[in-house]
Amino acid sequence: MSHHHDHALKIADLTVSYARIPALHHISFEVRCGQCVALLGPNGAGKTTLLKTLAGLVNRESGTIHFHGREVKGATPDIAYLPQRGQIDWDFPTTVRGLVEMGRYLRLGWYRTYGADDDRAVNLAIEAMDLGALQGRQISALSGGQQQRAFLARALAQEAHVLLLDEPFTGLDKPNQDNLKATLRKLRAQGKLLLVSHHDLPSVAEIFDRVLLLNGELIAAGPTAENFTDENIRRTYETSVFSGV
C-alpha cells in the first residue's frame, strides 16, 4: 500500500455561518496524511460543522479547501465523514456488508456499475476491520464498537485518504475504546489522515500526534506536545468567542 505522507489537506480562511451567525470564523490550518489529529473544543465550538464542511455536507461562506494540491468544492470520495453514532438511523434495513458497499457507490459515482474490483475493495475493508463473521448481520444488531468498525470499513471501501470521525469514542466501553485506538494507529501507519473530534482531554496525548483547538475560531494547531498546553486549553474552553453560539 502506498503511503500518502505528501498529501496535505489545506484549509484557508474558512468561514461558515448558520442564519448569518458565524459558526466558524476565518479558520486556516494544514494537516497531512499519516497524521492522527484531535479536534478539540467545547460544545457549540463548531467541531461538527468543520467536519461536515470538509466533507462537503455544509456550504461555506468563504475560504478554500485543498487536498493534494486540488481545490475541493463539495463531496469527494477522498474524504469520508463518520457521523456521531447517535445521528445514525440504526434501524435502516441493511447488513454490515450492505453498509460497506455504500462506500464503493460514493467512489463509483453514477456512471460505473459495481464490479469485481468493488467486491474486492469491500472484502478487503471487511477483513481489515475484522467484520467477516458479521457481514450478513443487520446493523441494528451490532454493538457500539462493531457499529464503529462497520463505518470505518465503509470509509476504507471508499478508498478515502482522509477520515473525519465525529466523537467516535463516545459511548464505547473500555475494551472497545482500546480497540478503536489500535485501529486509528493502524490506519495512520497506512498513511491515512484522521481528523477526530474528541472530548476526553486526558486521553489526547496518548492517541493523537497533533491537535486543533477550536472555539468558533482556531485557537491553536500543530503537534500535540507543543500545542496541547494548559494555556491553550483554558483559552479554548473559556466562554465562546461568539456569544450565543
Side-chain angles (χ1 to χ4, degrees), residues 36-112:
C36 191
V37 186
L39 178 57
L40 306 170
N43 288 338
K47 300 189 298 293
T48 296
T49 299
L50 176 59
L51 295 177
K52 286 185 167 178
T53 305
L54 296 179
L57 300 171
V58 168
N59 291 327
R60 52 192 188 260
E61 193 171 305
S62 67
T64 57
I65 300 169
H66 283 84
F67 180 63
H68 203 214
R70 286 191 304 274
E71 187 169 359
V72 177
K73 297 241 170 182
T76 163
D78 289 331
I79 299 176
Y81 172 65
L82 285 74
Q84 293 181 26
R85 289 208 330 283
Q87 306 296 314
I88 295 160
D89 175 12
W90 292 108
D91 295 325
F92 184 80
T94 188
T95 59
V96 169
R97 188 176 185 88
L99 179 69
V100 178
E101 285 173 351
M102 289 175 194
R104 289 311 293 172
Y105 290 110
L106 291 167
R107 175 59 70 180
L108 286 169
W110 298 109
Y111 316 108
R112 292 208 346 256

